[in-house]
Amino acid sequence: AQKVTQAQTEISVVEKEDVTLDCVYETRDTTYYLFWYKQPPSGELVFLIRRNSFDEQNEISGRYSWNFQKSTSSFNFTITASQVVDSAVYFCALSDNAGNNRKLIWGLGTSLAVNP
Amino acid sequence: EAGVAQSPRYKIIEKRQSVAFWCNPISGHATLYWYQQILGQGPKLLIQFQNNGVVDDSQLPKDRFSAERLKGVDSTLKIQPAKLEDSAVYLCASSLDRGKDGYTFGSGTRLTVV
């Protein structure tokens, strides 16, 4: 069965600190996608990244970086030099490969508070 | 490109009343999803449409929830009658084709049942 675990329920940091949000997943598929979404207080889900299972290269986008390690089934997300605007709930999700129809399996989210 | 549009943004109703939410997906997106997100939880898929057909409604409480996407574009989700536990954010998302190229979410409708 597919599952996404975000062990950190809440994290609180001070502005300019680096912070890493953990994501561990379970799947029997060999082809799958992993996602990170940001949900600010306004409620919308903002797409951050999609990574397919065949691409283990780490990715950096500005202050955001992602570390995908298939050996440990992890897809961790790091924010460097955090800012107050980074305060949000962050969700990790796994897209399974149920035939030709993919479903998103969500973690419970990590609530990040960046304090000035 | 315009995003996924949802309305209303907020809704407060009394229990046993009915309510409807509207979603307009990104133009050309064949797949449309309705999710329910209860406070403190991740989104839960209620129903998935491929064009105007239902692909998955296994988690839709069919005794009170219904959804349609008559022309394969806009969709409405209805709750009748509402219960207190239906208080949640209802998110609509769309994808080009069954999520192969990612998903785009709307801003959601925050429903409060009192």
Side-chain angles (χ1 to χ4, degrees):
Chain A
Q2 288 84 7
K3 185 179 178 182
V4 175
T5 301
Q6 293 181 255
Q8 304 146 309
T9 306
E10 295 180 358
I11 299 176
S12 182
V13 299
V14 177
E15 210 170 12
K16 296 183 184 176
E17 284 186 23
D18 298 347
V19 58
T20 295
L21 310 181
D22 298 333
C23 174
V24 174
Y25 63 92
E26 297 174 27
T27 181
R28 293 180 181 174
D29 290 336
T30 54
T31 303
Y32 52 89
Y33 288 89
L34 293 162
F35 299 80
W36 275 96
Y37 282 88
K38 174 182 180 180
Q39 189 171 43
S42 51
E44 73 272 26
L45 280 162
V46 179
F47 168 81
L48 295 178
I49 189 171
R50 181 182 70 153
R51 175 52 51 87
N52 79 53
S53 51
F54 296 109
D55 182 2
E56 286 195 70
Q57 283 192 351
N58 292 332
E59 181 153 343
I60 298 174
S61 176
R63 296 183 297 105
Y64 295 171
S65 62
W66 291 270
N67 185 322
F68 176 30
Q69 296 207 347
K70 287 179 76 171
S71 60
T72 55
S73 296
S74 66
F75 187 43
N76 296 338
F77 171 34
T78 297
I79 302 174
T80 303
S82 60
Q83 300 177 1
V84 173
V85 294
D86 296 326
S87 297
V89 179
Y90 290 86
F91 289 95
C92 180
L94 166 71
S95 177
D96 73 0
N97 189 27
N100 205 21
N101 190 38
R102 296 171 181 267
K103 290 185 183 181
L104 275 176
I105 293 102
W106 297 82
L108 293 180
T110 297
S111 178
L112 173 64
V114 181
N115 302 299
Chain B
E1 151 182 280
V4 175
Q6 286 188 250
S7 67
R9 190 77 177 87
Y10 303 93
K11 191 74 177 179
I12 301 174
I13 61 172
E14 295 183 351
K15 60 184 179 183
R16 290 188 288 273
Q17 284 188 325
S18 30
V19 64
F21 312 127
W22 174 82
C23 172
N24 186 294
I26 290 176
S27 177
H29 278 196
T31 315
L32 185 146
Y33 312 80
W34 282 102
Y35 284 87
Q36 179 194 58
Q37 187 178 21
I38 292 173
L39 187 65
Q41 299 182 16
K44 168 189 164 185
L45 179 67
L46 292 176
I47 190 167
Q48 176 182 343
F49 291 95
Q50 182 69 12
N51 296 308
N52 61 348
V54 175
V55 173
D56 183 352
D57 63 356
S58 56
Q59 298 194 93
L60 186 74
K62 298 180 186 63
D63 57 333
R64 298 184 301 105
F65 285 64
S66 64
E68 60 183 14
R69 192 185 185 199
L70 291 175
K71 296 182 179 178
V73 181
D74 293 8
S75 176
T76 55
L77 175 70
K78 296 179 182 177
I79 307 176
Q80 182 179 11
K83 292 185 176 181
L84 295 177
E85 59 260 37
D86 298 331
S87 294
V89 175
Y90 291 84
L91 293 160
C92 179
S94 70
S95 68
L96 198 57
D97 184 15
R98 301 181 179 95
K100 293 175 188 174
D101 298 300
Y103 310 79
T104 304
F105 284 82
S107 299
T109 296
R110 187 178 298 273
L111 173 68
T112 303
V113 183
V114 297

